[in-house]
């Protein structure tokens, strides 16, 4: 049985063309869920596959589909807008937005529902999500990983990878952690979460993405 509880969003062009010829895995932290399971129970904290509602498995995919089909200004949608602008370096039309998300993969690392937004995942959920992450990388072999948030980056397994620094000038830098999966080096960049005050400056983070995707 797969260790993955929330199927990733895989854009229809991810495996063929990717984004400018590169397969990019966009890595978020977690979902939260309060859906009723019956008898007063909810998805959280019953975090096992057999206790989750069927539509929980497609939650990641459904979030992206909702964003692409109807922009309503929800906080998570504004996060996606900020991120796509940071990568591309400008505002996108609806057609360009769809093309962008059809070229990347999006996946939340924590494979267990949390009780609400901005709540740190339980230590056990970090540990139990490691096998799913390994399974994902081995199956899809992305070229790059963009890690949303310092907490998530610091919580990822190291797997005897190699760390480095990426500088855009003499003052501003971020961390890179390079995994080796089946003989392939896959660098992961730490960025501030696009919903955070420091992560909303998409023009600033564009300089990191541009250098990361061209030099690693």
């Amino acid at each position: 049985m797969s260790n993955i509880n929330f199927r990733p969003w895989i854009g229809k062009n991810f495996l063929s063309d990717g984004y400018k010829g590169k397969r990019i895995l966009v890595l978020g932290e977690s979902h939260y869920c309060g859906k009723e399971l019956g008898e007063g129970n909810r998805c959280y904290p019953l975090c096992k596959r057999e206790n989750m509602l069927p539509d929980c498995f497609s939650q990641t995919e459904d979030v992206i589909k909702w964003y692409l089909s109807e922009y309503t200004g929800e906080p998570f949608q504004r996060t996606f807008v900020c991120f796509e602008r940071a990568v591309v370096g400008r505002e996108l039309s609806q057609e360009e937005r769809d093309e962008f998300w059809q070229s990347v993969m999006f996946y939340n690392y924590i494979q267990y529902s949390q009780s609400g937004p901005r709540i740190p995942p339980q230590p056990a959920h970090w540990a139990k999500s490691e096998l799913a992450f390994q399974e994902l990388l081995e199956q899809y072999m992305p070229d790059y990983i963009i890690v949303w948030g310092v907490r998530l980056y610091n919580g990822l397994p190291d797997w005897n990878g190699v760390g480095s620094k990426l500088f855009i000038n003499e003052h501003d830098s971020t961390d890179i952690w390079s995994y080796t999966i089946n003989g392939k080096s896959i660098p992961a960049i730490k960025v501030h979460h696009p919903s955070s005050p420091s992560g909303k400056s998409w023009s600033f983070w564009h300089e990191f993405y541009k250098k990361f995707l061209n030099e690693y």
Side-chain angles (χ1 to χ4, degrees):
M1 179 182 291
S2 172
N3 295 289
I4 295 173
N5 292 334
F6 298 105
R7 290 193 305 264
W9 161 267
I10 303 172
K12 64 182 180 182
N13 300 319
F14 171 77
L15 292 172
S16 54
D17 301 324
Y19 175 74
K20 295 185 176 180
K22 302 173 173 67
R23 293 183 182 179
I24 299 174
L25 166 60
V26 184
L27 192 63
E29 186 179 274
S30 62
H31 287 296
Y32 67 94
C33 184
K35 296 180 180 179
E36 295 287 352
L37 290 170
E39 298 181 359
N41 293 320
R42 293 179 180 268
C43 279
Y44 177 88
L46 301 177
C47 298
K48 295 181 179 179
R49 292 177 75 92
E50 60 268 25
N51 289 326
M52 296 172 71
L53 293 175
D55 60 351
C56 288
F57 304 128
S58 64
Q59 186 172 356
T60 303
E61 298 167 314
D62 293 341
V63 163
I64 302 294
K65 288 177 181 177
W66 176 15
Y67 170 61
L68 294 178
S69 65
E70 181 184 14
Y71 183 80
T72 56
E74 298 287 337
F76 83 88
Q77 293 182 327
R78 295 197 296 270
T79 296
F80 289 145
V81 167
C82 183
F83 171 70
E84 68 194 26
R85 290 177 180 177
V87 175
V88 178
R90 57 178 174 81
E91 296 183 16
L92 279 66
S93 67
Q94 182 58 44
E95 182 179 358
E96 291 172 325
R97 171 172 297 145
D98 186 74
E99 182 180 354
F100 174 81
W101 288 99
Q102 292 294 348
S103 71
V104 302
M105 174 190 290
F106 183 83
Y107 175 78
N108 274 331
Y109 181 82
I110 300 296
Q111 290 294 289
Y112 300 85
S113 294
Q114 304 306 299
S115 59
R118 302 187 183 279
I119 294 177
Q122 301 173 24
H125 291 174
W126 284 101
K128 291 179 179 180
S129 297
E130 183 174 334
L131 286 177
F133 185 50
Q134 182 178 2
E135 178 183 331
L136 184 86
L137 295 184
E138 290 178 345
Q139 181 173 353
Y140 295 102
M141 298 295 287
D143 300 317
Y144 299 91
I145 305 172
I146 295 174
V147 183
W148 281 8
V150 175
R151 181 173 65 195
L152 174 57
Y153 183 89
N154 291 339
L156 294 178
D158 58 35
W159 293 338
N160 297 316
V162 177
S164 60
K165 286 280 188 181
L166 186 151
F167 287 84
I168 58 169
N169 55 50
E170 61 179 326
H171 302 294
D172 297 309
S173 67
T174 192
D175 296 321
I176 305 288
W177 190 260
S178 295
Y179 295 105
T180 299
I181 305 294
N182 295 332
K184 177 181 180 178
S185 178
I186 304 177
I189 184 172
K190 177 179 72 177
V191 300
H192 291 192
H193 197 285
S195 69
S196 69
S198 57
K200 289 181 179 179
S201 179
W202 57 264
S203 58
F204 173 77
W205 288 104
H206 174 65
E207 298 305 314
F208 285 99
Y209 291 131
K210 182 169 61 176
K211 192 167 185 179
F212 176 58
L213 296 175
N214 287 331
E215 295 190 4
Y216 276 79

